Each structure stands twice: as structure tokens, then as C-alpha cells.
Amino acid sequence: MYVNKIYSKKFILPALIIFFLLFLLPSILGFYYSLTNWNSMSENIKFIGLANFKEIFSDTGNFIFMKNTLMYAFFTTVLKVIIGLGLALMLNEGIKSKGLLRTIYFLPIIISNLIVGIMFQQVLHPANGILNHALEFIGLSSWTQAWLEDPSWVMWSTIGVEVWKSAGFVMIIFLAGLQTVPKETIEASDMDGANYWNKLIKIIVPSIAPSILINTLLSIISGLKVFDVIFALTNGGPGRFSEVINITIFNQFSMGNYGYSTALGVIMFIFLAIISIGIIMIFTRKETNS
Amino acid sequence: MKKRKRYLNITKEVFAWVLSLVILVPFLMVLLNSVKSVTEAATMSLALPTEIKFSNYVEVLKDKRIYTSFFNSLFLSTAASLITLIVSSMAAFVISRNRSRFNMVIYSIFLLGLVAPMNYVTTMKVMQILNIINTYTGVYLLYSAIFIPFTVFLYFGFIGSIPKELDEAAVIDGCKGGGLFYKIIFPLLKPVTVTAVIINFLNCWNDFVIPLYFLNSSGKWGMIMVMYNYFSTYISSWNLVSAAMILNLLPIIIVYAIGQKYIISGMTAGAVKG
């Protein structure tokens, strides 16, 4: 009683109302509208059951965006975690200009994805782009590609841009995690003459397991939700070869197929909700322990 | 042994700097081309300009849309981050201090917002019903709704480290509810407040997805959106596009340079503390 009086629930209300009305409610409404033929052409919205979902899964042309989304989420996560860990281990000790380097590696994460996209359209340009020029310069002319125009390369290019953008963020989380590695154990293993690889696998990686988990989960989630980087870089092209689910949602929205677009949103919601429940369980379990 | 280690560290440092070029060179490319002539900038190469033309910037700054969009960005980012900060700190305070089962359920609902995707189409419907579609109010409230989960999460972790005895002492002295929070607790939250404001401000400033979906009238667009428009209008004048990009990067880099410590600590706290 006493606690409820000082810490009035009224304080939670403003945040909850804004969040509920403009985030939660639309998601809940999505479940209803995904079962309708809602579109920009007709005024009345008709209930059509699971027809939208049937259409999504029976249209074989749609497999490409499902494949692309999963491929993007998977490979950006693997590459970001490996490269981020590599950068963190490199900067963790022994380097004098660590602070400045950290600032540079982290820089891309705060730049608007639109600028990153437009910038990399030029970097990856087949004839003029500096990436192909650099490859030619070091004698690897055969490696040059039409990075954004070649259907077999375009997804890898978008993955590369995301890794360029976010590896520094992953690095920062690993750097924080590396501070928890017990110094005594490392020193003891040095005495025993352990080599670096052994120390990495047996001591460092186990003690930074929490940051590996967090980085993996965050990367998977942001990978599945990706929109702006790919929109600015290729807008899903050439054809639909770099289309991911959020691009499809936007295109269907622009065409006025609201019901269909919402159904896609619901599929994404369910997919991510399963992952998020797992994460919340991890978060709250830690909270009650402390 | 010691000598070998020092040698190794120097190699590592040189390698780290070479690697940092991967990050820096694309920015350098934009900077170089922003002072070239149209023909030289057509290839967006790393070649030095034969003549440094600041006139590109003058040309871009002649466009009045730059100014209105700058103030639009400033207004939207400020409004969104202030509202988010006020409502989130209050909510996190009560949830953190009174961890009843009910409050923890609410906290979980907020956390869901960190992961769940937004449903843009139905959000449009709700905004139509609330009559805030295509308005500033609608947009900054929408940004707040998106930022609240992360901000509540950030405050929740920090408030836990402030001793509860402080509240008790204040209550005995006659401070209640709002007074207790604003006079005693809120000033102590300054570090996390600065972090939250900077991160939300930058996220809002950089975003172009919300205007793409929800702001049809170009008069209300922020800088990033206007640059996007500029990019499609001047697609063949890369010198002007580059100058516009640099003008867009400037405010962001200034904020980063000043608030770097807070940005990094906030982002890692958000990720690690959880």
C-alpha cells in the first residue's frame, strides 16, 4: 500500500499510452487486417480469412525475399560477430591509439543509412567505383564485379555494407565483455606456456559468452528487420534479387495492397516474437538474480 | 621476450590503422568529390581535384529547402527525444522501485518493443483514426513510441543503482510522488539522460523510413529526406550530391564528437546490462 502510494502507477501511464497506441495497437490490429482484402481501391474492407497468407506462400516468386532475408540475417550475424571479436581482441591491449581507433571503427553506426547507401552505390560502381579500382590496383582485376548489378553478387554486397556499418558496434560490446576476462587466469596460463589460440578458446571465449549471445541476438533481430540500408543501396534490385521482407512490405504498401502488406507484417511479427520471448526470458532471469 | 612483444604491438597498431582506412576512405571519397567540378566528380574517384570548388556548397546552400528541412529535423528530433525522455524516466522509476508482478508485466511489454517489428500499414490506420496522420505531432509521437522501449530499459538499469534509502529520507522530509522524482531522483539520472537524449536525437535525425511512410508533404521533411530528394533530382551532378551529403554529415559528426562517450556507454549499457 505504502509502496503504491509513493511510486504511483500514474507515472507509467504516459509512456504506456504512447507506446500502446502507436506501436502495440497497430501490431494487434495487424492480426485482424491481415485477414481482410483491405486495399486503396475499394472503400469497404472484406474479411477473407487466410487468403492473403495462402497467396504469400503459394506465390513461388516470393521465395526470393524469404531466402534473402534469412541469408542476410544469418551471414551478417556470423561475419559481424567474427570481425567484431577480431577487432575487439586487436584493440583490447597493447595499442596506444586505442581510443581514437575505437572512435573511427564505431563511426559508421551513427551515420544515416541513407547516406551509407548512396555512398556505397558509388563505392561499388562497376566502372568507376573505388572498390574495383582498388582491386585492379593490387593486381586482382579478375576479382572485380558488378557488385550491385550482378544477381549472384548483390546480396553479398548488401551483407558487406552492413558488416562495414555495424562491425564497430559489435566490437564495442565485445570490448566491454573482454574487461571481465580474469587477468590471473591469463597470467597463469602464460606461465604454463599456453599459446594464444589455446588461451582464446579455453579462457577468453568462455568468459565472454554473454557478449557473444547478446551480439548474436541483436544482429539476428536487426538482420531480419533490415529495410533502409537495402532500400537506399539497391531498392531490392536488380529485379527482386536483393528484396527482403521489409522491402516487399513497403512495395505492397505503395501499391495499395494494405491487407497483403499487413499479412507480411504479421508473419514477421510472429517470427520475431518467438525470438524476443527467448530474449526477454534471458533478460528477466538475470534481473531477478541480482 | 619483452622486445618481441613490443615489436608485435607496433605491428598490430600499424595494421589497425591500415584497417581503419576501410572506414575512412568512403568518407574521404565524398569529401574530395564535394569540391570537384561536375565532370571530375562524375566518376567519384579518389583523384585530387584540379581546382577546389567551394562553389558547390554555395550552390547547395542556395536551395531554401535546406534551411526549412534543417529546422524540421531539429524540431522533430528535439520534440521526440524530450517527450521520450520525460515519459520513459517516470515510467522506469516506478517500475524499478516497485517491482510488483503487475509492473514487471508492463516492463516485459515495453521490452517487446525492442524486438518486435513495427507494422507500418496499421500504424497508418491508427494515425488516421487519431487524426494525426501527416502532422508533426503524429510523427514525433510515433518516434517516441519507437524510442520508449530502449529508453525505459536504459533508465531501468540505471535507477536500480541509486539507493532506495534516498527515497525514504525524502519521503520523511515530506517529498511525495512527483516532487520526489523531479527534485531528488531526476537530477541524479543526468548521465543516462544525456545518453538517452543524444542517441534518440541521432536516431530521429538519421531516420528516413517514417517520413517515407507517414509524411507526404515535403514541406515537413527533415534534412535526410530532402537530401534523398536532392539525390534523385541531381543524379548527374555528383559534386552537388556530395556537398549535400557532407552538409548532412556535419551535424551528425559534431554531435558524435561531443557526445561520443555517452553514445558508446549508452549503446553498450543497453546491450550488455540486460
Side-chain angles (χ1 to χ4, degrees):
Chain A
M1 202 54 218
Y2 166 77
V3 174
N4 282 331
K5 217 170 203 171
I6 313 174
Y7 307 118
S8 160
K9 287 201 169 53
K10 272 183 279 180
F11 272 46
I12 307 178
L13 271 181
L16 195 60
I17 289 171
I18 297 175
F19 178 68
F20 178 78
L21 279 180
L22 293 172
F23 195 103
L24 226 50
L25 183 62
S27 297
I28 297 166
L29 286 177
F31 281 90
Y32 169 72
Y33 282 109
S34 68
L35 304 173
T36 68
N37 72 339
W38 182 26
N39 62 69
S40 57
M41 303 300 171
S42 67
E43 279 296 307
N44 48 352
I45 297 172
K46 222 171 60 196
F47 186 82
I48 53 165
L50 292 169
N52 284 324
F53 292 95
K54 274 190 196 132
E55 204 184 325
I56 290 168
F57 288 109
S58 62
D59 180 357
T60 46
N62 278 339
F63 290 148
I64 184 108
F65 80 70
M66 299 178 195
K67 189 197 111 208
N68 282 345
T69 311
L70 294 175
M71 175 183 170
Y72 184 90
F74 180 77
F75 284 103
T76 51
T77 303
V78 171
L79 290 170
K80 274 153 70 175
V81 168
I82 292 173
I83 294 174
L85 182 58
L87 292 174
L89 288 170
M90 180 174 75
L91 289 195
N92 190 37
E93 52 184 10
I95 288 191
K96 285 203 191 82
S97 43
K98 176 186 155 186
L100 194 55
L101 283 165
R102 195 180 73 159
T103 307
I104 294 172
Y105 288 145
F106 192 77
L107 175 70
I109 199 75
I110 57 131
I111 305 293
S112 172
N113 284 330
L114 189 65
I115 295 183
V116 171
I118 295 174
M119 201 158 79
F120 271 90
Q121 271 185 16
Q122 291 307 306
V123 171
L124 301 173
H125 194 279
N128 305 325
I130 55 175
L131 179 60
N132 278 348
H133 277 301
L135 288 172
E136 276 161 24
F137 184 74
I138 54 173
L140 294 171
S141 305
S142 56
W143 289 27
T144 57
Q145 303 291 343
W147 301 105
L148 297 175
E149 289 80 9
D150 186 339
S152 55
W153 274 100
V154 65
M155 272 320 287
W156 294 108
S157 304
T158 59
I159 289 167
V161 172
E162 169 63 17
V163 173
W164 179 87
K165 189 180 157 69
S166 315
F169 175 70
V170 174
M171 170 198 79
I172 290 283
I173 293 172
F174 275 134
L175 274 173
L178 282 174
Q179 307 316 310
T180 63
V181 175
K183 276 221 168 66
E184 302 77 29
T185 323
I186 293 277
E187 275 161 18
S189 69
D190 276 336
M191 299 275 206
D192 295 341
N195 65 23
Y196 187 75
W197 184 248
N198 272 330
K199 276 189 283 182
L200 183 67
I201 297 296
K202 299 221 171 92
I203 306 169
I204 300 177
V205 168
S207 46
I208 58 166
S211 7
I212 296 177
L213 181 70
I214 287 292
N215 271 327
T216 307
L217 292 172
L218 288 178
S219 300
I220 290 176
I221 293 161
S222 70
L224 291 172
K225 286 203 280 192
V226 63
F227 174 73
D228 40 10
V229 179
I230 294 185
F231 179 83
L233 201 60
T234 64
N235 197 6
R240 294 177 76 179
F241 283 108
S242 64
E243 192 171 307
V244 287
I245 187 163
N246 251 332
I247 301 262
T248 321
I249 291 177
F250 181 72
N251 290 341
Q252 293 293 335
F253 169 82
S254 311
M255 286 190 275
N257 302 329
Y258 301 141
Y260 188 88
S261 181
T262 308
L264 284 167
V266 166
I267 293 172
M268 201 169 149
F269 184 89
I270 293 172
F271 209 79
L272 276 155
I274 295 169
I275 297 176
S276 72
I277 289 167
I279 293 168
I280 289 169
M281 274 163 63
I282 294 164
F283 279 167
T284 41
R285 194 178 55 209
K286 260 195 186 167
E287 216 55 66
T288 42
N289 281 351
S290 62
Chain B
M1 187 70 187
K2 225 174 190 173
K3 205 171 172 189
R4 212 185 115 212
K5 196 156 194 187
R6 216 179 67 195
Y7 182 70
L8 193 78
N9 280 342
I10 292 172
T11 325
K12 224 163 68 167
E13 186 138 16
V14 171
F15 179 72
W17 275 104
V18 172
L19 204 60
S20 76
L21 291 179
V22 175
I23 304 284
L24 293 174
V25 166
F27 292 109
L28 182 69
M29 173 192 82
V30 179
L31 186 65
L32 280 173
N33 285 281
S34 73
V35 290
K36 285 184 185 171
S37 65
V38 189
T39 40
E40 276 186 326
T43 58
M44 287 297 271
S45 70
L46 285 172
L48 291 175
T50 40
E51 185 194 1
I52 295 181
K53 286 176 92 106
F54 288 112
S55 55
N56 294 334
Y57 286 89
V58 178
E59 183 76 29
V60 173
L61 288 172
K62 259 189 212 154
D63 193 332
K64 285 205 180 62
R65 287 183 303 171
I66 290 270
Y67 306 98
T68 44
S69 69
F70 175 81
F71 285 108
N72 283 343
S73 281
L74 196 64
F75 171 68
L76 283 177
S77 307
T78 312
S81 45
L82 279 184
I83 292 174
T84 309
L85 141 80
I86 294 167
V87 299
S88 309
S89 58
M90 289 180 353
F93 173 63
V94 171
I95 296 174
S96 169
R97 286 300 200 236
N98 179 12
R99 297 187 186 191
S100 62
R101 178 166 283 228
F102 177 80
N103 281 352
M104 289 322 279
V105 170
I106 302 241
Y107 185 54
S108 301
I109 291 175
F110 279 129
L111 288 186
L112 187 68
L114 284 176
V115 193
M118 235 185 106
N119 197 323
Y120 297 100
V121 192
T122 42
T123 304
M124 183 187 76
K125 186 87 182 170
V126 171
M127 286 172 84
Q128 273 168 354
I129 296 168
L130 296 174
N131 219 353
I132 50 173
I133 189 107
N134 231 342
T135 63
Y136 286 125
T137 319
V139 170
Y140 63 68
L141 285 178
L142 186 56
Y143 277 120
S144 296
I146 297 169
F147 299 154
I148 281 170
F150 174 72
T151 316
V152 167
F153 176 62
L154 211 57
Y155 273 113
F156 181 87
F158 195 84
I159 291 171
S161 66
I162 293 175
K164 226 174 166 177
E165 289 76 37
L166 218 69
D167 302 13
E168 281 152 20
V171 170
I172 291 165
D173 288 345
C175 256
K176 267 187 215 142
L180 165 71
F181 180 66
Y182 287 109
K183 283 194 209 129
I184 314 289
I185 304 296
F186 192 72
L188 294 173
L189 301 177
K190 203 172 137 204
V192 74
T193 300
V194 177
T195 300
V197 167
I198 297 179
I199 291 180
N200 291 336
F201 190 92
L202 274 181
N203 280 339
C204 186
W205 188 282
N206 280 337
D207 178 71
F208 72 99
V209 182
I210 300 298
L212 204 62
Y213 271 101
F214 302 106
L215 264 184
N216 301 322
S217 40
S218 58
K220 296 192 181 93
W221 283 350
M223 265 183 112
I224 291 286
M225 222 18 209
V226 164
M227 197 202 67
Y228 182 56
N229 207 266
Y230 201 85
F231 165 69
S232 28
T233 324
Y234 295 90
I235 187 90
S236 51
S237 314
W238 274 97
N239 55 337
L240 296 185
V241 174
S242 299
M245 275 163 88
I246 294 292
L247 288 173
N248 261 284
L249 284 171
L250 266 181
I252 304 170
I253 299 214
I254 291 172
V255 172
Y256 179 52
I258 298 170
Q260 201 219 115
K261 192 178 86 186
Y262 295 101
I263 296 173
I264 291 180
S265 73
M267 284 188 167
T268 43
V272 178
K273 228 183 245 157

